[in-house]
Amino acid sequence: MELEELIENTLRRKHLEEMMDRPEKEHTPLEGMDNEQIRRFALFLFEENQSKSRQLDEMIARLDEIGKDLKEANRKIDSLTDALLKANSKAEKVSLEYKIQLKEYRKLEKKHNALVERLSLMNAQTYASSKSLKGIGRKKVLKGKHDDKDDFDGTPTAPTTEVPQSDPAASCDTRDALATPLSKERPYRRGMRYNKDCVGTPIIHRSDYTMLPKGSVVISSSYRKIRNIVSHIEEHHFEVLKVKHADGRIESMFLPMKDDARADLYNEIVPGTSITADMLSYLMFNRFQMSTPAYREAKNRLSDMDWNTSVQNLLNWTDKGAMQLNKLIPALKKIALQDGANVNVDETWLRYRSYDCKRKTYMWCLVNRKARIVIFFYEDTTDDKGMQKHGGRNRNVLKDFLGDSKIKSLQSDGYNVYMYLDDELVDVEHLCCLAHARAKFKYAYDQGSLQARIFLELIARLYGMEDTYRREKLTADEIYRRRNSKETTEIIDKIRTELYDLLANPDESRSELMSKALNYLKNFWNRIFAYRNDGEYSIDNMAAERAIRPITVQRKNSLLFGSVKGIQNSAIYNTFIETCKQAGVSFRDYFCRLLRELKKGRTDYENLLPMTICK
């Protein structure tokens, strides 16, 4: 066998040497062509030559135009250069004149200071024996409500209060009425009186006595102060009649005059307050959307409108408005958690004052994008050890809020609390947020991990596709088809390939942030890309992130809540403010309309939501 292989190798080598020594034959394009083929080939070359010639002429013409433009640009540059030189010359002259005037001014200032010093010396010599008049006409210092607490020595004193005048139509002159001592007044109120100052010029609304029910008699008449806000604060006085009917029943009522165009404000009074729904919605929007703390609203904004009120008044009015809105929360929750709903969930931390310390807690946010509903909730729960707790971040908060609802999917940022729910919410598909995965790679890339760039580019392509679906307003079925198309699958396969290549080849120089990003993407891979399972799913959890962002701004401005009640009120107001934004309606208009309907006795709360009452 070895001899046969040697002979075969020798023959192969000889054949190769003959092939290499064979002279190369030059090949011409016309070889093997007949006359007709040669004619067609020549015609083809001629047309190609003509086309190249035309292109060359066009390029030459274009170059001529560019040359003309360059000449014109050079001419303009020369003119601008001349103008700049002239401007620089003028600036130098002005600067020189300024320096000269500055020297003159300093000389005059020195002379002025010397004269002032001489004049003060002469005044001191002339009036040395007289008493100073400084202090006469000194402005009256307004005392705060709690300024004298430190001066209280335990002696029971009898502070004074005002006695109202008998005229019910009196407006603001009652503040100068005589005062009589009251023995039951609190000690820290000594020397103080209740503020009954009017805001601006009050608008008087009188009752129409001709509209009294037949047989009824007016027992008394008084004016009720109601404040409303437009671009300034208005104070309205409504004449409220205490009426005794023929059957002995006593009732308070306001009967507007026929020509009173503003009498309808009486129906917008928030129960238990002296302000309208329009004003309360204005205050609450400033507080929970514009992140204005209550003390800043009372001491700065309202005082600039000539209304001095206390922070506690604002807090009390907040409670009254929250009581009205809280009636609608069950109806809102029922729609948001209806069967087959897709919801986004997130949470953020807050601080509140508890006795002598500050505690940290969490507020949760649930968004149903299809129903255009946002719900903030803060629930008291019992932890795994059976301890009662205000709020918190444990899974019992979300579990108790969801209750027996049969939602289809729950999307979050991948926090462990949501993962624990997989064992209990078996029929709920859990989705994670691709934006969180992208953010981790972005942090790593900003710290110098260049390997993260490929992930950022591929994820950006997926977001570009989602943006196209949104702009083209595709149906859920069409979105599902495109998310599972070949193009999308190739991008996700590239991400998977890059992920496992890096995990299979550990690098000691790899940053910790990059390692965390890779592990996050690997551990939550199925949940991150589960958005491809339905056209109604979202690629990320930004719906909840955007809704919860105003809470974080409020946290930075107000620092902490005064109580758990304040957190609950914040959850209620933010729920309706964000839901109104989702529905595309004004929260202020909605709140006024809601209060009018509630005063009519309506209890069909499912028809009083922002997306129903404001259609």
Side-chain angles (χ1 to χ4, degrees):
M1 288 296 294
E2 295 180 358
L3 180 61
E4 291 179 358
E5 289 179 358
L6 180 61
I7 294 171
E8 185 178 354
N9 291 337
T10 303
L11 292 175
R12 287 180 180 176
R13 191 179 299 109
K14 182 178 180 182
H15 178 70
L16 289 174
E17 291 175 355
E18 290 177 356
M19 292 293 292
M20 294 176 62
D21 295 337
R22 182 179 299 173
E24 295 183 358
K25 183 178 180 182
E26 296 182 0
H27 176 75
T28 61
L30 302 179
E31 184 178 358
M33 292 186 182
D34 55 15
N35 293 335
E36 180 62 23
Q37 292 175 338
I38 293 173
R39 186 183 67 79
R40 292 178 182 175
F41 183 67
L43 181 61
F44 168 75
L45 292 178
F46 177 76
E47 291 177 352
E48 287 290 322
N49 189 25
Q50 291 287 19
S51 176
K52 298 293 183 182
S53 178
R54 285 194 298 270
Q55 293 179 2
L56 184 60
D57 293 339
E58 292 176 357
M59 292 178 64
I60 292 172
R62 181 58 182 160
L63 289 175
D64 291 339
E65 293 177 0
I66 294 173
K68 293 178 181 179
D69 293 341
L70 288 175
K71 289 180 181 179
E72 181 66 20
N74 289 332
R75 186 184 64 78
K76 292 181 179 179
I77 290 173
D78 293 339
S79 62
L80 290 174
T81 303
D82 294 339
L84 183 61
L85 292 175
K86 292 179 181 179
N88 288 337
S89 178
K90 291 182 180 180
E92 291 176 357
K93 291 180 181 179
V94 172
S95 176
L96 182 60
E97 293 177 358
Y98 171 75
K99 291 180 180 178
I100 295 173
Q101 293 179 359
L102 184 61
K103 289 182 180 179
E104 295 294 331
Y105 171 76
R106 288 176 178 172
K107 290 180 181 179
L108 293 174
E109 188 178 17
K110 289 181 180 179
K111 291 181 180 179
H112 172 73
N113 292 336
L115 290 174
V116 170
E117 186 176 355
R118 289 179 59 187
L119 182 62
S120 62
L121 181 61
M122 293 173 62
N123 288 336
Q125 293 175 353
T126 304
Y127 303 104
S129 60
S130 64
K131 292 183 179 180
S132 174
L133 300 179
K134 187 177 180 181
I136 297 179
R138 189 177 297 170
K139 293 183 178 179
K140 183 179 179 181
V141 179
L142 295 177
K143 242 184 150 182
K145 186 170 78 171
H146 302 293
D147 289 350
D148 57 352
K149 279 189 173 181
D150 296 335
D151 300 330
F152 177 60
D153 57 0
T155 305
T157 56
T160 60
T161 59
E162 10 178 74
V163 177
Q165 295 182 359
S166 59
D167 184 6
S171 56
C172 301
D173 296 332
T174 57
R175 56 190 173 194
D176 297 326
L178 296 175
T180 57
L182 293 176
S183 59
K184 294 183 179 180
E185 185 66 19
R186 286 167 289 186
Y188 68 85
R189 295 277 306 173
R190 62 180 179 179
M192 301 180 65
R193 58 182 177 78
Y194 188 78
N195 184 10
K196 293 187 177 180
D197 295 344
C198 295
V199 180
T201 302
I203 302 171
I204 307 299
H205 301 265
R206 297 185 182 275
S207 289
D208 189 358
Y209 288 73
T210 61
M211 297 177 61
L212 283 171
K214 188 176 180 180
S216 58
V217 180
V218 177
I219 300 175
S220 63
S221 173
S222 62
Y223 281 85
R224 182 178 179 183
K225 290 184 179 181
I226 302 299
R227 295 176 177 90
N228 179 45
I229 186 168
V230 190
S231 57
H232 59 278
I233 299 178
E234 296 178 343
E235 183 166 313
H236 298 255
H237 291 192
F238 290 88
E239 185 181 8
V240 181
L241 308 178
K242 190 174 183 181
V243 178
K244 182 177 182 180
H245 295 274
D247 57 358
R249 182 169 46 90
I250 298 177
E251 181 183 4
S252 297
M253 61 176 65
F254 166 66
L255 305 175
M257 304 289 286
K258 293 181 179 179
D259 57 347
D260 191 349
R262 305 293 302 281
D264 191 51
L265 287 176
Y266 191 80
N267 296 324
E268 295 184 7
I269 302 172
V270 180
T273 71
S274 60
I275 59 175
T276 62
D278 190 29
M279 183 167 188
L280 181 59
S281 62
Y282 167 83
L283 297 174
M284 295 304 100
F285 188 86
N286 287 344
R287 182 177 178 187
F288 296 111
Q289 194 64 29
M290 306 304 292
S291 304
T292 305
Y295 69 87
R296 195 179 302 167
E297 186 77 41
K299 300 302 180 185
N300 295 346
R301 197 190 300 268
L302 296 181
S303 63
D304 290 343
M305 299 182 187
D306 298 328
W307 184 21
N308 297 316
T309 187
S310 65
V311 176
Q312 189 60 46
N313 278 341
L314 299 184
L315 299 179
N316 292 339
W317 297 337
T318 302
D319 292 344
K320 301 298 183 181
M323 289 171 58
Q324 303 300 319
L325 291 173
N326 195 39
K327 299 175 182 177
L328 282 71
I329 294 292
L332 204 64
K333 180 179 176 181
K334 182 179 179 181
I335 299 176
L337 299 180
Q338 58 188 342
D339 293 350
N342 301 313
V343 299
N344 299 72
V345 181
D346 197 12
E347 82 286 332
T348 188
W349 62 271
L350 303 168
R351 291 190 186 277
Y352 70 96
R353 189 183 301 278
S354 176
Y355 302 106
D356 58 343
C357 63
K358 301 171 185 176
R359 296 185 181 275
K360 186 176 181 180
T361 186
Y362 289 85
M363 182 182 291
W364 294 67
C365 174
L366 182 141
V367 180
N368 186 323
R369 294 182 298 113
K370 187 175 181 180
R372 297 180 299 175
I373 291 176
V374 180
I375 300 180
F376 290 87
F377 55 97
Y378 178 85
E379 304 289 339
D380 293 340
T381 59
T382 304
D383 59 17
D384 296 336
K385 297 181 180 179
M387 300 294 292
Q388 188 73 18
K389 187 175 182 181
H390 287 301
R393 203 181 186 186
N394 61 64
R395 58 178 173 174
N396 290 331
V397 180
L398 184 59
K399 176 185 173 184
D400 293 346
F401 184 81
L402 295 177
D404 298 331
S405 60
K406 298 179 181 179
I407 60 176
K408 181 179 179 180
S409 68
L410 184 147
Q411 189 165 21
S412 65
D413 57 4
Y415 179 59
N416 286 336
V417 166
Y418 308 103
M419 299 298 103
Y420 296 151
L421 293 174
D422 286 350
D423 299 333
E424 302 175 12
L425 305 177
V426 179
D427 297 331
V428 177
E429 185 169 13
H430 196 110
L431 289 80
C432 285
C433 177
L434 184 58
H436 278 73
R438 181 194 176 279
K440 294 181 182 298
F441 284 108
K442 185 66 169 60
Y443 296 151
Y445 182 75
D446 292 340
Q447 296 298 322
S449 298
L450 300 181
Q451 295 173 337
R453 180 172 182 176
I454 183 63
F455 293 95
L456 296 176
E457 292 175 351
L458 294 174
I459 293 174
R461 290 176 61 184
L462 293 177
Y463 270 95
M465 294 178 178
E466 294 295 320
D467 187 55
T468 302
Y469 308 156
R470 179 185 57 81
R471 285 187 285 104
E472 294 180 0
K473 299 181 180 179
L474 301 180
T475 62
D477 293 337
E478 180 63 19
I479 293 175
Y480 171 77
R481 188 186 65 80
R482 293 201 185 185
R483 283 177 175 175
N484 291 274
S485 64
K486 182 179 179 182
E487 182 181 6
T488 307
T489 304
E490 288 177 353
I491 296 174
I492 296 177
D493 288 343
K494 288 181 181 179
I495 296 176
R496 189 198 302 270
T497 302
E498 292 292 336
L499 171 65
Y500 284 100
D501 283 348
L502 292 176
L503 291 175
N505 298 289
D507 187 359
E508 295 181 356
S509 62
R510 184 179 299 164
S511 66
E512 184 179 356
L513 290 175
M514 187 63 185
S515 299
K516 288 182 178 179
L518 294 173
N519 291 329
Y520 182 89
L521 185 60
K522 173 181 174 293
N523 294 333
F524 296 111
W525 177 271
N526 293 331
R527 296 184 179 94
I528 288 175
F529 293 103
Y531 78 94
R532 304 174 69 195
N533 298 338
D534 195 315
E536 293 185 352
Y537 290 169
S538 175
I539 192 173
D540 54 32
N541 198 37
M542 294 308 294
E545 297 282 347
R546 285 190 293 267
I548 212 169
R549 188 169 293 124
I551 299 291
T552 62
V553 180
Q554 295 166 25
R555 180 180 66 212
K556 294 178 181 178
N557 281 12
S558 299
L559 299 183
L560 55 89
F561 287 92
S563 64
V564 173
K565 181 67 175 177
I567 300 178
Q568 294 170 343
N569 288 343
S570 175
I572 293 173
Y573 280 104
N574 280 290
T575 292
F576 284 93
I577 290 174
E578 293 299 323
T579 300
C580 285
K581 289 164 64 176
Q582 291 284 332
V585 300
S586 168
F587 170 71
R588 296 181 62 180
D589 294 342
Y590 166 71
F591 190 58
C592 294
R593 187 175 300 184
L594 170 67
L595 202 61
R596 292 194 198 101
E597 299 300 323
L598 290 177
K599 282 199 170 184
K600 295 177 183 178
R602 292 185 59 178
T603 57
D604 54 332
Y605 301 129
E606 65 277 1
N607 296 322
L608 298 178
L609 301 177
M611 66 286 300
T612 56
I613 194 176
C614 295
K615 283 186 177 179

